[in-house]
Amino acid sequence: MFCFKRLTLELVFILIVPSCFWAVNPAVADETEEAEKPSWISLLEPVEHEEVVGKYPRIRVQFLKSIVSESLVVLLDGVDVTQLIIRSANGFEYVPPLPLSSGTHSIVLKGSVDGADQESSVEFSSRQYEHYREASTRTDLSATYEESLAESDAIGQSGYDTRTDLSLQMMNRLSRSDWQISFDTNLHYFDQQGSQKKVPVEGYDSVSLTNLALKGEYDFNRFSVQVELGDVVIDQSELTLSYLSRKGSTCAISTDLLELSLFRVRSDELYGLDGYDFVSADDNNLSGLSATMTLLEQELIVSAFFASGVQTVSAFGGHAFSFSASDTSQKGSITGVNIETDFWDALLTGEFELGLSTSDQDQNDERDPLSDQAYRVNLGTTFNQYVFDLEYEYFGPDYAVIGNPSITKDKAGFSGTGQVDLDRHAVLLSINRMKDNVANDSLFPENVTTNGSLEYTYKNIPDWPLTLTYSKAIMETKSVADSTSALGQGLSYDRVIDCYIVGLNHTVDKTIYNLSGSFSTVDDQTGLNNDSEAFTATFIPVFISKNVTFNPSLTITRAKMKAFEKSDLITLVTDTYLLNLQLGSHFWHNLVACDIGGSYVGIRTNDDSPESDGLTAQIRFALDLDHFLPGLLKPVLAVKGTYSYSKQDSAESHMDRYIPSSPLADEPELYQLYLVFGLGFPFAL
């Protein structure tokens, strides 16, 4: 009896434990299946997973199975090079026309093999010289000249007569095993003559220098140093500096455990050739530092940030920090801490961030600087097909970050999402609730917004996924002094919005059909009672062939809303019809390309409001002269045109349905035809 029980337990352990492991780790099963799946290609040259020396390495691939030649697609590092390969009976050969960068490269092949679409990939690595990993320079010249051939004489014509656009992009690299240097920039020239003038920007005089960056990196085995000068991007965190693009310098020192970064940039946003002295003489600079420590094999990341700066804001010029619109000298600082956790391969993730800000909106006045805080807490988990995320955030009423004016202050609330993705079904649930006036200031109303949505997708019907979505939004205004008065009703924003959406997609061969419909209602719970509802139906097919892509779309919307006409409550109905057409074609190995696009908008009403029809069209016919001038020169000759017309059909229109106004006139036909010459010339050593 004991032996039987022991044997039973052993069988259970052998059968169930491995199955649980594979269920918890589906990626392992997928990787094993991927590894056991035989490849239908073989990399003959270079040797797979080995390093080749040279700027222009020859790549030879052999097919191990029969493949439909027309279906073959070849990608090198994600770039389609199918048109550049030299085919053979059982494979192909490819030599890069420009120097191949050093590092690991991936070749992905897609095609119809044994009657089914398959994909396979191989990898190799390269370096450009024996003693240098990379030593290259590349210059990409692109120029476009446009001249008007014909245009309408109607009032309102705003096209230009001539336009010249010239761009010279330079990329330079020099590296060895322990250091590397790069220098990139883009010199741009733009000139336009005619009725449509460009808006002048201070510092921009037809010539601009953008994306100028001199970077250097040295690896000292135990740590590395990175220095960057020119156009730099400062990205600390959500509550501090986020993707701030300015002219200045950065320096970073990195080890396996710690990374320390310092920066100093111009606080004002400059254009053209200005600002490359990097440090302003009038102290309009922003500087700071950040430190990031990685612990527990990257399961715990702790970061600290600090930044401070001065900004002079002109009422007539652009400014970066946007504290005020008057001529003021502003100063501020921000201190932040961020903690990120990731335990058990995303089974439990978390993030906590705290920001402390101090801002003096005008250093010339006698008011003290304002200090405030913001924080956010995020928890999430990913387990197989289940994903959950929950976040709470708080922004104080005086929280202001120099260099990041997009942060919305004076709000607090939470948001959460839950997602389940099974073989036949998928469910996505999201909810958030946000309120402002977090200090409960009696002088201001308190607005509370609650949003929730539930999305369900049924995937069991092949090529016919069905999606159903329901969403609800509740907007409430509290603490209004007198909600019954006209002023109180104007400040109050109490309404409930319900929306129902159904979407059906179908893909067959190279044709895609998208059909969707939605119905929404707005319940205005104020004394104004401005209820409304709307129905929208959309049909978007896509037809793709070897040389032609046709993408029409039709959208029909009917909106109803309540309104008072004198003392009577009536229902206003507005029907909107939107038709879009997009046609792209190319023939004779891309020698000729023709693109046609257009749209029609029609509006119909059940009252005396204006009814209108609008039509726009665009066309472009291009000839690729590269077929006649082989080499790196890429000339293109094209003709493009635009057309627009609108019609206002109403005998009498009313302003607010009480004040009579003059009949609306039709807009004249506007058209413009241009001759375009483009030139591209990539040059590399």
Side-chain angles (χ1 to χ4, degrees):
M1 187 68 175
F2 173 77
C3 294
F4 176 75
K5 289 183 177 180
R6 180 177 180 180
L7 178 61
T8 303
L9 292 174
E10 290 178 349
L11 288 174
V12 170
F13 181 82
I14 293 173
L15 295 177
I16 295 180
V17 172
S19 62
C20 293
F21 173 79
W22 286 82
V24 175
N25 299 273
V28 177
D30 295 340
E31 292 175 0
T32 304
E33 293 178 0
E34 185 74 19
E36 295 177 352
K37 184 178 179 180
S39 175
W40 48 274
I41 64 173
S42 174
L43 182 61
L44 302 180
E45 188 179 355
V47 178
E48 188 173 3
H49 301 304
E50 292 191 5
E51 187 178 63
V52 61
V53 178
K55 286 188 174 183
Y56 305 90
R58 185 172 66 165
I59 300 172
R60 290 198 303 131
V61 174
Q62 179 183 5
F63 299 143
L64 304 180
K65 294 183 180 181
S66 177
I67 180 175
V68 179
S69 179
E70 294 78 8
S71 66
L72 178 63
V73 177
V74 182
L75 303 176
L76 175 60
D77 296 337
V79 179
D80 190 348
V81 297
T82 309
Q83 302 298 328
L84 302 178
I85 65 174
I86 301 176
R87 302 173 186 258
S88 61
N90 59 347
F92 68 87
E93 179 179 318
Y94 172 74
V95 177
L98 297 173
L100 195 64
S101 61
S102 300
T104 302
H105 305 282
S106 173
I107 302 175
V108 178
L109 274 70
K110 303 177 183 179
S112 179
V113 181
D114 295 336
D117 293 336
Q118 295 190 24
E119 178 179 324
S120 188
S121 64
V122 291
E123 289 186 351
F124 71 94
S125 60
S126 70
R127 60 186 302 152
Q128 296 186 346
Y129 295 95
E130 189 70 32
H131 300 289
Y132 291 92
R133 291 190 57 84
E134 186 173 2
S136 63
T137 177
R138 174 171 175 171
T139 301
D140 290 342
L141 172 65
S142 61
T144 304
Y145 175 77
E146 302 180 23
E147 183 169 343
S148 177
L149 297 177
E151 66 178 12
S152 57
D153 297 328
I155 299 176
Q157 180 68 44
S158 58
Y160 49 87
D161 295 332
T162 62
R163 173 186 286 177
T164 304
D165 197 325
L166 178 65
S167 178
L168 186 65
Q169 185 176 5
M170 293 173 285
M171 295 164 285
N172 305 275
R173 303 285 186 273
L174 180 63
S175 67
R176 295 187 66 172
S177 58
D178 54 352
W179 59 267
Q180 62 179 5
I181 298 175
S182 66
F183 175 71
D184 301 335
T185 188
N186 185 14
L187 183 64
H188 183 245
Y189 171 80
F190 178 84
D191 181 68
Q192 182 171 284
Q193 304 294 330
S195 57
Q196 189 182 62
K197 301 292 185 180
K198 65 179 185 297
V199 178
V201 178
E202 183 179 357
Y204 186 93
D205 187 18
S206 297
V207 179
S208 66
L209 194 63
T210 60
N211 301 325
L212 186 149
L214 175 62
K215 302 179 183 179
E217 180 178 354
Y218 196 94
D219 190 354
F220 292 91
N221 293 328
R222 292 187 176 182
F223 67 94
S224 63
V225 178
Q226 298 175 345
V227 178
E228 184 175 356
L229 301 173
D231 292 299
V232 299
V233 176
I234 310 300
D235 184 23
Q236 293 184 333
S237 65
E238 290 188 23
L239 300 185
T240 56
L241 298 180
S242 179
Y243 296 102
L244 175 66
S245 179
R246 290 292 185 271
K247 298 178 180 181
S249 60
T250 65
C251 178
I253 303 175
S254 304
T255 68
D256 294 337
L257 182 64
L258 179 66
E259 178 179 346
L260 178 65
S261 300
L262 302 94
F263 71 89
R264 184 174 178 86
V265 297
R266 295 288 295 267
S267 57
D268 43 355
E269 189 171 8
L270 302 174
Y271 301 91
L273 303 177
D274 294 338
Y276 285 109
D277 51 354
F278 304 132
V279 179
S280 174
D282 54 4
D283 295 330
N284 283 343
N285 301 301
L286 175 64
S287 58
L289 57 89
S290 63
T292 300
M293 181 176 292
T294 304
L295 304 171
L296 304 178
E297 297 182 351
Q298 296 187 348
E299 290 186 342
L300 176 62
I301 301 176
V302 181
S303 303
F305 315 100
F306 175 79
S308 64
V310 175
Q311 168 75 43
T312 300
V313 178
S314 172
F316 303 98
H319 49 85
F321 303 154
S322 191
F323 286 125
S324 173
S326 59
D327 293 344
T328 56
S329 177
Q330 303 167 351
K331 184 178 181 180
S333 65
I334 178 68
T335 303
V337 177
N338 183 270
I339 301 175
E340 298 179 62
T341 60
D342 185 349
F343 297 110
W344 306 297
D345 294 331
L347 185 61
L348 177 61
T349 61
E351 184 175 3
F352 170 76
E353 183 177 2
L354 171 66
L356 303 174
S357 72
T358 301
S359 62
D360 187 351
Q361 302 182 19
D362 190 349
Q363 295 189 81
N364 298 322
D365 61 23
E366 298 179 354
R367 291 178 294 180
D368 295 331
L370 301 176
S371 299
D372 214 326
Q373 65 176 351
Y375 58 87
R376 61 186 186 91
V377 182
N378 180 279
L379 292 175
T381 181
T382 301
F383 180 75
N384 293 346
Q385 304 96 334
Y386 305 91
V387 180
F388 299 96
D389 185 85
L390 183 64
E391 180 173 284
Y392 178 83
E393 57 183 7
Y394 170 89
F395 294 85
D398 296 318
Y399 187 75
V401 179
I402 58 174
N404 194 357
S406 61
I407 290 181
T408 304
K409 61 183 179 180
D410 195 14
K411 67 176 184 178
F414 73 92
S415 62
T417 59
Q419 182 177 356
V420 179
D421 192 356
L422 305 176
D423 293 336
R424 300 181 180 181
H425 313 276
V427 178
L428 174 62
L429 174 66
S430 63
I431 185 171
N432 69 78
R433 181 180 175 87
M434 194 68 61
K435 60 165 288 187
D436 61 7
N437 194 9
V438 295
N440 296 321
D441 192 333
S442 60
L443 298 177
F444 300 97
E446 176 184 307
N447 299 299
V448 181
T449 302
T450 305
N451 294 283
S453 66
L454 177 63
E455 179 182 296
Y456 168 76
T457 302
Y458 183 68
K459 303 181 291 184
N460 196 36
I461 305 177
D463 301 324
W464 286 93
L466 174 65
T467 302
L468 304 175
T469 305
Y470 170 70
S471 63
K472 191 179 190 72
I474 303 175
M475 288 165 279
E476 306 171 89
T477 301
K478 302 179 180 179
S479 303
V480 177
D482 186 4
S483 59
T484 60
S485 65
L487 178 60
Q489 293 180 3
L491 294 175
S492 180
Y493 196 74
D494 295 338
R495 60 180 57 188
V496 178
I497 302 176
D498 294 280
C499 184
Y500 309 83
I501 303 175
V502 57
L504 184 64
N505 301 325
H506 178 56
T507 302
V508 52
D509 295 331
K510 295 184 178 181
T511 304
I512 304 173
Y513 301 96
N514 298 288
L515 180 63
S516 64
S518 67
F519 176 73
S520 62
T521 62
V522 177
D523 180 12
D524 187 353
Q525 298 183 347
T526 67
L528 301 177
N529 196 28
N530 290 327
D531 295 345
S532 64
E533 62 182 43
F535 170 79
T536 301
T538 303
F539 177 58
I540 306 177
V542 181
F543 307 96
I544 304 174
S545 67
K546 181 179 180 180
N547 298 318
V548 178
T549 300
F550 182 51
N551 180 204
S553 66
L554 175 63
T555 301
I556 301 175
T557 302
R558 164 161 285 197
K560 298 180 180 180
M561 65 176 298
K562 301 293 185 180
F564 283 96
E565 183 176 10
K566 297 182 179 179
S567 60
D568 299 329
L569 182 63
I570 64 171
T571 301
L572 300 180
V573 180
T574 302
D575 294 329
T576 304
Y577 307 91
L578 175 61
L579 175 64
N580 286 312
L581 297 176
Q582 297 292 332
L583 175 66
S585 60
H586 56 89
F587 304 96
W588 301 298
H589 302 286
N590 296 326
L591 173 63
V592 176
C594 182
D595 300 322
I596 301 175
S599 64
Y600 164 78
V601 179
I603 300 177
R604 301 292 183 267
T605 62
N606 68 336
D607 64 338
D608 294 333
S609 299
E611 297 183 351
S612 63
D613 297 277
L615 180 65
T616 61
Q618 309 87 34
I619 186 172
R620 178 181 178 271
F621 181 83
L623 181 64
D624 189 354
L625 302 179
D626 180 36
H627 291 72
F628 306 103
L629 299 173
L632 296 179
L633 208 61
K634 306 292 182 182
V636 175
L637 184 64
V639 175
K640 72 174 186 179
T642 59
Y643 172 85
S644 66
Y645 172 75
S646 66
K647 178 183 179 182
Q648 301 281 358
D649 186 13
S650 178
E652 184 179 14
S653 62
H654 294 268
M655 182 69 65
D656 294 335
R657 306 191 56 80
Y658 292 104
I659 305 175
S661 60
S662 303
L664 298 176
D666 296 344
E667 179 181 326
E669 292 181 315
L670 303 177
Y671 64 86
Q672 188 99 24
L673 188 65
Y674 294 96
L675 176 66
V676 183
F677 178 73
L679 179 66
F681 180 65
F683 174 76
L685 291 176

